[in-house]
Amino acid sequence: MELRSPSNYSCWHCAKSVDSLPFCKSCGKLQELPEGLSAFAILGEPVSLRFSVDGLRGQYFALSKLIHPDKFAGLTPREQLYASRWSRSLNQAYAQLKERDARAEAILTAHGKEGFLKKGAVPVALAEDYFEFQERVSEGKELGSFLDVLQGHRTAMEGQWRS
């Protein structure tokens, strides 16, 4: 299991550059969980509304076996702390990404729109269609009638805003 890490990240133990998490490739030590790492990054999943929940579950179990705090019980307090933080964040990330609505909120948070769905400003169906639109555009797929679906959402939202 290997996750990409933020650039310019150095190992706390050997001071070598770390390009994957949660362990340093040079010395094998568990690294500190970087601040602001998204649920997608923690689980090594692409920022997407649609992906295999079974694959997500597999990633979760594989990573949880590697970083479970019990495996670090006899090591330094620092490593125990890092394992505890990783484990807690992993559990939170999995809980967030396994449910469609929470995953949509995580995507919006990753794009700087935290709390957007919780405020009731955008229906989940609209957000889901928006993300599908972005995926279609990035993959060069035909948009055709899909634009009509988005226009329908726009009309419905405008009606709600006027009320």
Side-chain angles (χ1 to χ4, degrees), residues 6-58:
S7 57
N8 301 324
Y9 189 75
S10 297
C11 175
W12 64 269
H13 185 258
C14 70
K16 294 198 176 169
S17 179
V18 175
D19 59 358
S20 65
L21 291 172
F23 298 96
C24 173
K25 284 186 178 179
S26 298
C27 68
K29 294 289 186 179
L30 182 65
Q31 297 300 297
E32 182 172 14
L33 180 71
E35 271 189 52
L37 204 58
S38 74
F40 293 99
I42 290 170
L43 281 157
E45 290 289 337
V47 178
S48 175
L49 192 61
R50 293 177 179 85
F51 57 76
S52 167
V53 176
D54 290 336
L56 177 73
R57 186 180 304 111

Side-chain angles (χ1 to χ4, degrees), residues 49 96 98-107 117 124-125 128:
L49 192 61
Q96 186 175 30
K98 71 181 181 178
E99 300 298 329
R100 185 193 68 148
D101 292 359
R103 190 165 49 247
E105 184 65 38
I107 291 171
L117 292 178
V124 172
E128 188 174 53

